[in-house]
Amino acid sequence: MPLRGKNIVIGITGGIAAYKIPLLIRLLVKAGANVQVIMTEAAKAFVTPLTLSTLSRNPVYSSFVSEAGQWHNHIALAHTADLILIAPLTANTLADLAMGKAENLLSAVIMSAEAPVYVSPAMDREMYRYGAVRENLSKLKSFGFHIIPPEEGELASGLSGQGRMPEPETLFAIIRSHFKQTQALKGKKVLITGGPTYEPIDPVRFIGNRSSGKTGIALAEAATQAGAEVILITGPTTCLPGNPPYTVVPVESAGEMYQAVKKHYPESDILIMSAAVSDYKPVDVKSSKIKKHSARLNIELEPTPDILAEAGKMKRQGQINIGFALETDDEKKNALDKLKRKNLDMIVLNSLKDEGAGFGYDTNKITIIRKDGQEKTYPLKSKHEVARDIISEISHLV
Ligand code: C5P
């Protein structure tokens, strides 16, 4: 019963394929899902709100304000969703989402959403091939959207080619398998670290690094979607969502991160250390701001605890530890050494040599090396997709 009690938001935009959506809604409601329809004004020419509200057993929303003058809170709608599907997705709404335009309720909900968003683009063959459409679709992919490619076949224009929205049964199967897949880490406790650490020098200064924290957040999202109970211990980041469906433990320094990992590690099944932990910290933290002088200033540094290596020593039977390696030279050899030295089950290697990979980017290119020597290299992908690949690899180990 993967769909029972799930909140599914269906977004409908103005394309002829909208006629298939009432059938999809019927399948979802029959499977026990709670369906909320949001449609654009253009979609009303293809399917009526009355049909949709009757089948979904919920009012249909299309504008920010109802006829009775009530505000439809897009933030609340976005936050209660377990999954959002836009079907059909027109070239027009696709362009709005790629550009970040929140002109109607549907795009505002998508932009406030934390739930996975699936889109089913449907348009004529030539439109689907058009350069800007291709570009907008790859943008959405890099934002973490799941794209359901249109099928080949007869199109409303009388032409045939790629552009058809899949049948309602196919869309239903995609939604159901999303929730089935998400059981891969059910019952598992996953501890994730992310972000940089800040090592104080005096009350206003610190030693830090360029980590954005995005990888840790994407991993926490992917592990939660896979059914795990997640704790994310993160260094300073501005990228956390407003209301995350996992526990966040904010820390600043490597020492604080070490204490938090020591506290939560014993009852965790899986540890993923994606944090960019500072290797050194000032020996002596000044209690007042260091004054400027003309002479040179030396700050003596001492090593921070290697959190992952310490966790490797504490590891009990059945626990799985995963580390990251950001290497500039001799990448594989160094990653393998680290895997052994820190008693890891898997290491994720990202190289600074790869364009678009590493700190600050929204994309990454990784190689996963397992303890048994098995190795897999992935193409450049969004950090969300990379996180899903890592979680899927981990689910083979549990
Ligand atoms: O040894 P190196 O810093 O290259 O190893 C990287 C891996 O070790 C990452 O998974 C990182 O989170 C972890 N690490 C740690 N504590 C440190 C330094 C790195 O847990 N002090």
Side-chain angles (χ1 to χ4, degrees):
M1 296 286 185
L3 284 170
R4 185 155 302 284
K6 294 284 185 252
N7 293 316
I8 316 278
V9 170
I10 305 278
I12 311 177
T13 70
I16 179 65
Y19 81 89
K20 297 179 183 176
I21 299 303
L23 295 164
L24 170 66
I25 294 173
R26 216 177 53 171
L27 291 169
L28 289 168
V29 170
K30 248 177 137 176
N34 177 36
V35 177
Q36 175 62 65
V37 175
I38 303 174
M39 67 199 306
T40 60
E41 280 306 317
K44 291 182 183 169
F46 298 93
V47 60
T48 73
L50 181 62
T51 307
L52 298 165
S53 63
T54 308
L55 289 171
S56 67
R57 302 174 190 161
N58 274 318
V60 168
Y61 299 137
S62 58
S63 57
F64 288 101
V65 180
S66 75
E67 277 164 20
Q70 255 178 337
W71 183 53
H72 293 143
N73 184 341
H74 59 94
I75 309 286
L77 279 168
H79 284 185
T80 51
D82 293 304
L83 181 144
I84 302 177
L85 166 71
I86 309 183
L89 173 70
T90 56
N92 207 26
T93 300
L94 167 65
D96 282 353
L97 296 177
M99 274 192 292
K101 280 171 75 176
E103 274 179 1
N104 59 39
L105 182 68
L106 179 59
S107 38
V109 167
I110 301 300
M111 285 164 63
S112 335
E114 279 151 19
V117 183
Y118 283 70
V119 297
S120 180
M123 59 198 81
D124 215 45
R125 189 182 64 187
E126 274 70 26
M127 276 177 93
Y128 185 63
R129 286 186 194 152
Y130 184 64
V133 167
R134 319 289 323 162
E135 227 176 84
N136 288 338
L137 275 172
S138 35
K139 259 198 195 160
L140 254 53
K141 213 168 165 206
S142 76
F143 299 162
F145 285 60
H146 302 257
I147 316 283
I148 303 170
E151 293 178 349
E152 299 257 352
E154 205 177 299
L155 301 167
S157 61
L159 295 170
S160 78
Q162 197 180 8
R164 273 176 74 87
M165 190 178 85
E167 295 306 312
E169 291 76 14
T170 311
L171 294 176
F172 176 73
I174 291 170
I175 295 177
R176 196 180 44 191
S177 81
H178 171 89
F179 289 106
K180 264 199 180 157
Q181 263 176 32
T182 58
Q183 303 309 300
L185 293 183
K186 194 166 172 58
K188 299 288 174 202
K189 291 189 170 163
V190 180
L191 184 61
I192 299 170
T193 68
T197 64
Y198 286 1
E199 308 305 326
I201 297 170
D202 68 16
V204 289
R205 301 172 180 107
F206 59 84
I207 297 173
N209 60 63
R210 297 186 195 281
S211 166
S212 63
K214 284 180 186 164
T215 296
I217 293 166
L219 283 165
E221 272 166 21
T224 306
Q225 276 170 29
E229 197 183 308
V230 176
I231 298 177
L232 172 67
I233 301 172
T234 180
T237 171
T238 54
C239 303
L240 273 171
N243 194 11
Y246 44 83
T247 305
V248 177
V249 179
V251 293
E252 287 232 328
S253 63
E256 282 174 27
M257 187 172 277
Y258 180 41
Q259 291 310 322
V261 169
K262 262 209 317 211
K263 178 170 169 202
H264 296 286
Y265 180 67
E267 70 275 8
S268 303
D269 300 295
I270 299 162
L271 168 68
I272 313 175
M273 269 304 297
S274 76
V277 187
S278 174
D279 290 325
Y280 293 93
K281 66 178 174 70
V283 174
D284 177 25
V285 182
K286 302 284 181 228
S287 56
S288 46
K289 190 179 166 198
I290 300 171
K291 288 263 179 284
K292 185 165 68 179
H293 297 288
S294 53
R296 281 188 180 173
L297 173 72
N298 288 313
I299 298 174
E300 198 186 346
L301 302 177
E302 63 183 353
T304 55
D306 188 322
I307 306 170
L308 191 53
E310 291 304 319
K313 289 180 201 157
M314 288 163 68
K315 193 159 113 179
R316 58 172 162 76
Q317 181 81 20
Q319 274 183 316
I320 294 173
N321 288 8
I322 293 126
F324 274 64
L326 183 71
E327 302 290 344
T328 48
D329 318 282
D330 259 343
E331 291 123 321
K332 288 213 176 124
K333 190 187 161 296
N334 283 328
L336 269 169
D337 285 352
K338 212 165 283 181
L339 190 137
K340 293 214 178 74
R341 189 160 34 87
K342 302 196 186 197
N343 190 16
L344 304 179
D345 299 272
M346 205 169 101
I347 192 152
V348 181
L349 169 65
N350 42 139
S351 165
L352 275 181
K353 281 183 194 154
D354 290 314
E355 180 74 20
F359 289 166
Y361 291 101
D362 284 329
T363 47
N364 203 358
K365 187 171 182 303
I366 57 161
T367 297
I368 292 182
I369 308 175
R370 288 211 224 160
K371 187 165 71 174
D372 61 11
Q374 273 198 59
E375 165 183 328
K376 222 173 180 176
T377 298
Y378 295 79
L380 187 73
K381 292 183 176 197
S382 76
K383 285 191 173 168
H384 293 280
E385 288 174 291
V386 169
R388 282 182 220 133
D389 287 339
I390 295 170
I391 295 299
S392 144
E393 246 343 273
I394 294 172
S395 64
H396 297 311
L397 300 180
V398 295

PDB file of all heavy atoms in Angstrom, residues 273-275 277-279 304-308 323-324 338 342, ligand 1:
ATOM      1  N   MET A 273      29.891  10.933   6.045  1.00  0.00           N
ATOM      2  CA  MET A 273      30.643  12.142   6.421  1.00  0.00           C
ATOM      3  C   MET A 273      30.931  12.955   5.160  1.00  0.00           C
ATOM      4  O   MET A 273      31.957  12.762   4.521  1.00  0.00           O
ATOM      5  CB  MET A 273      31.994  11.745   7.002  1.00  0.00           C
ATOM      6  CG  MET A 273      32.184  11.523   8.462  1.00  0.00           C
ATOM      7  SD  MET A 273      31.794  12.757   9.683  1.00  0.00           S
ATOM      8  CE  MET A 273      32.854  14.116   9.385  1.00  0.00           C
ATOM      9  N   SER A 274      30.014  13.866   4.812  1.00  0.00           N
ATOM     10  CA  SER A 274      30.296  14.680   3.622  1.00  0.00           C
ATOM     11  C   SER A 274      30.816  16.063   4.019  1.00  0.00           C
ATOM     12  O   SER A 274      31.116  16.881   3.156  1.00  0.00           O
ATOM     13  CB  SER A 274      29.049  14.801   2.743  1.00  0.00           C
ATOM     14  OG  SER A 274      28.128  15.710   3.292  1.00  0.00           O
ATOM     15  N   ALA A 275      30.922  16.316   5.327  1.00  0.00           N
ATOM     16  CA  ALA A 275      31.393  17.638   5.770  1.00  0.00           C
ATOM     17  C   ALA A 275      32.840  17.888   5.345  1.00  0.00           C
ATOM     18  O   ALA A 275      33.650  16.964   5.288  1.00  0.00           O
ATOM     19  CB  ALA A 275      31.287  17.737   7.290  1.00  0.00           C
ATOM     20  N   VAL A 277      35.574  19.113   6.834  1.00  0.00           N
ATOM     21  CA  VAL A 277      36.048  19.435   8.190  1.00  0.00           C
ATOM     22  C   VAL A 277      37.435  20.082   8.096  1.00  0.00           C
ATOM     23  O   VAL A 277      38.302  19.587   7.377  1.00  0.00           O
ATOM     24  CB  VAL A 277      36.154  18.145   9.039  1.00  0.00           C
ATOM     25  CG1 VAL A 277      36.483  18.478  10.487  1.00  0.00           C
ATOM     26  CG2 VAL A 277      34.879  17.321   8.961  1.00  0.00           C
ATOM     27  N   SER A 278      37.602  21.157   8.838  1.00  0.00           N
ATOM     28  CA  SER A 278      38.922  21.801   8.867  1.00  0.00           C
ATOM     29  C   SER A 278      39.924  20.830   9.495  1.00  0.00           C
ATOM     30  O   SER A 278      39.612  20.155  10.477  1.00  0.00           O
ATOM     31  CB  SER A 278      38.821  23.067   9.716  1.00  0.00           C
ATOM     32  OG  SER A 278      40.096  23.615   9.876  1.00  0.00           O
ATOM     33  N   ASP A 279      41.105  20.726   8.898  1.00  0.00           N
ATOM     34  CA  ASP A 279      42.104  19.793   9.438  1.00  0.00           C
ATOM     35  C   ASP A 279      42.885  20.405  10.593  1.00  0.00           C
ATOM     36  O   ASP A 279      43.502  19.688  11.371  1.00  0.00           O
ATOM     37  CB  ASP A 279      43.069  19.368   8.329  1.00  0.00           C
ATOM     38  CG  ASP A 279      42.372  18.481   7.319  1.00  0.00           C
ATOM     39  OD1 ASP A 279      41.498  17.693   7.741  1.00  0.00           O
ATOM     40  OD2 ASP A 279      42.670  18.579   6.116  1.00  0.00           O
ATOM     41  N   THR A 304      42.808  19.067  14.120  1.00  0.00           N
ATOM     42  CA  THR A 304      41.486  18.795  14.709  1.00  0.00           C
ATOM     43  C   THR A 304      41.337  17.274  14.780  1.00  0.00           C
ATOM     44  O   THR A 304      42.084  16.554  14.107  1.00  0.00           O
ATOM     45  CB  THR A 304      40.378  19.364  13.808  1.00  0.00           C
ATOM     46  OG1 THR A 304      40.557  18.811  12.505  1.00  0.00           O
ATOM     47  CG2 THR A 304      40.406  20.875  13.745  1.00  0.00           C
ATOM     48  N   PRO A 305      40.365  16.764  15.534  1.00  0.00           N
ATOM     49  CA  PRO A 305      40.169  15.311  15.517  1.00  0.00           C
ATOM     50  C   PRO A 305      39.713  14.857  14.136  1.00  0.00           C
ATOM     51  O   PRO A 305      38.944  15.562  13.479  1.00  0.00           O
ATOM     52  CB  PRO A 305      39.052  15.094  16.553  1.00  0.00           C
ATOM     53  CG  PRO A 305      38.437  16.420  16.795  1.00  0.00           C
ATOM     54  CD  PRO A 305      39.450  17.456  16.438  1.00  0.00           C
ATOM     55  N   ASP A 306      40.204  13.715  13.663  1.00  0.00           N
ATOM     56  CA  ASP A 306      39.689  13.141  12.417  1.00  0.00           C
ATOM     57  C   ASP A 306      38.429  12.365  12.795  1.00  0.00           C
ATOM     58  O   ASP A 306      38.482  11.236  13.292  1.00  0.00           O
ATOM     59  CB  ASP A 306      40.729  12.235  11.756  1.00  0.00           C
ATOM     60  CG  ASP A 306      40.275  11.807  10.366  1.00  0.00           C
ATOM     61  OD1 ASP A 306      39.063  11.559  10.189  1.00  0.00           O
ATOM     62  OD2 ASP A 306      41.124  11.719   9.465  1.00  0.00           O
ATOM     63  N   ILE A 307      37.291  13.009  12.597  1.00  0.00           N
ATOM     64  CA  ILE A 307      36.009  12.482  13.080  1.00  0.00           C
ATOM     65  C   ILE A 307      35.707  11.112  12.474  1.00  0.00           C
ATOM     66  O   ILE A 307      35.323  10.165  13.159  1.00  0.00           O
ATOM     67  CB  ILE A 307      34.863  13.471  12.756  1.00  0.00           C
ATOM     68  CG1 ILE A 307      35.209  14.859  13.312  1.00  0.00           C
ATOM     69  CG2 ILE A 307      33.533  12.970  13.288  1.00  0.00           C
ATOM     70  CD1 ILE A 307      34.287  15.974  12.860  1.00  0.00           C
ATOM     71  N   LEU A 308      35.940  11.025  11.162  1.00  0.00           N
ATOM     72  CA  LEU A 308      35.615   9.785  10.449  1.00  0.00           C
ATOM     73  C   LEU A 308      36.509   8.637  10.908  1.00  0.00           C
ATOM     74  O   LEU A 308      36.036   7.504  11.085  1.00  0.00           O
ATOM     75  CB  LEU A 308      35.766  10.043   8.940  1.00  0.00           C
ATOM     76  CG  LEU A 308      35.252   8.989   7.991  1.00  0.00           C
ATOM     77  CD1 LEU A 308      33.795   8.625   8.284  1.00  0.00           C
ATOM     78  CD2 LEU A 308      35.385   9.462   6.548  1.00  0.00           C
ATOM     79  N   GLY A 323      32.778   7.815   3.554  1.00  0.00           N
ATOM     80  CA  GLY A 323      33.540   9.056   3.587  1.00  0.00           C
ATOM     81  C   GLY A 323      33.602   9.693   2.210  1.00  0.00           C
ATOM     82  O   GLY A 323      33.220   9.085   1.205  1.00  0.00           O
ATOM     83  N   PHE A 324      34.082  10.904   2.176  1.00  0.00           N
ATOM     84  CA  PHE A 324      34.277  11.624   0.921  1.00  0.00           C
ATOM     85  C   PHE A 324      35.763  11.899   0.759  1.00  0.00           C
ATOM     86  O   PHE A 324      36.476  12.044   1.758  1.00  0.00           O
ATOM     87  CB  PHE A 324      33.510  12.952   0.942  1.00  0.00           C
ATOM     88  CG  PHE A 324      32.084  12.814   0.516  1.00  0.00           C
ATOM     89  CD1 PHE A 324      31.199  12.063   1.270  1.00  0.00           C
ATOM     90  CD2 PHE A 324      31.621  13.407  -0.650  1.00  0.00           C
ATOM     91  CE1 PHE A 324      29.871  11.911   0.880  1.00  0.00           C
ATOM     92  CE2 PHE A 324      30.304  13.269  -1.059  1.00  0.00           C
ATOM     93  CZ  PHE A 324      29.428  12.523  -0.288  1.00  0.00           C
ATOM     94  N   LYS A 338      42.610   6.098   2.059  1.00  0.00           N
ATOM     95  CA  LYS A 338      41.722   6.699   3.057  1.00  0.00           C
ATOM     96  C   LYS A 338      40.650   5.702   3.495  1.00  0.00           C
ATOM     97  O   LYS A 338      40.317   5.591   4.667  1.00  0.00           O
ATOM     98  CB  LYS A 338      41.060   7.926   2.414  1.00  0.00           C
ATOM     99  CG  LYS A 338      40.760   9.023   3.366  1.00  0.00           C
ATOM    100  CD  LYS A 338      40.450  10.302   2.638  1.00  0.00           C
ATOM    101  CE  LYS A 338      41.695  10.984   2.112  1.00  0.00           C
ATOM    102  NZ  LYS A 338      41.398  12.242   1.425  1.00  0.00           N
ATOM    103  N   LYS A 342      40.578   4.724   7.386  1.00  0.00           N
ATOM    104  CA  LYS A 342      39.455   5.196   8.209  1.00  0.00           C
ATOM    105  C   LYS A 342      38.398   4.111   8.404  1.00  0.00           C
ATOM    106  O   LYS A 342      37.304   4.401   8.898  1.00  0.00           O
ATOM    107  CB  LYS A 342      38.853   6.460   7.586  1.00  0.00           C
ATOM    108  CG  LYS A 342      39.876   7.590   7.421  1.00  0.00           C
ATOM    109  CD  LYS A 342      39.249   8.944   7.175  1.00  0.00           C
ATOM    110  CE  LYS A 342      40.323   9.984   6.876  1.00  0.00           C
ATOM    111  NZ  LYS A 342      39.875  11.354   7.008  1.00  0.00           N
TER     112      LYS A 342
HETATM  113  O1  C5P B   1      41.589  12.848   5.236  1.00  0.00           O
HETATM  114  P1  C5P B   1      40.633  13.711   4.495  1.00  0.00           P
HETATM  115  O2  C5P B   1      40.297  15.001   5.183  1.00  0.00           O
HETATM  116  O3  C5P B   1      40.981  13.936   3.046  1.00  0.00           O
HETATM  117  O4  C5P B   1      39.294  12.808   4.457  1.00  0.00           O
HETATM  118  C1  C5P B   1      38.083  13.275   4.007  1.00  0.00           C
HETATM  119  C2  C5P B   1      36.967  12.560   4.737  1.00  0.00           C
HETATM  120  O5  C5P B   1      37.221  12.557   6.153  1.00  0.00           O
HETATM  121  C3  C5P B   1      35.633  13.238   4.572  1.00  0.00           C
HETATM  122  O6  C5P B   1      34.627  12.260   4.597  1.00  0.00           O
HETATM  123  C4  C5P B   1      35.586  14.169   5.779  1.00  0.00           C
HETATM  124  O7  C5P B   1      34.249  14.474   6.141  1.00  0.00           O
HETATM  125  C5  C5P B   1      36.294  13.358   6.858  1.00  0.00           C
HETATM  126  N1  C5P B   1      37.051  14.168   7.838  1.00  0.00           N
HETATM  127  C6  C5P B   1      36.751  14.071   9.189  1.00  0.00           C
HETATM  128  N2  C5P B   1      37.456  14.787  10.117  1.00  0.00           N
HETATM  129  C7  C5P B   1      38.471  15.581   9.750  1.00  0.00           C
HETATM  130  C8  C5P B   1      38.816  15.684   8.391  1.00  0.00           C
HETATM  131  C9  C5P B   1      38.077  14.971   7.463  1.00  0.00           C
HETATM  132  O8  C5P B   1      35.822  13.329   9.538  1.00  0.00           O
HETATM  133  N3  C5P B   1      39.138  16.257  10.675  1.00  0.00           N
END
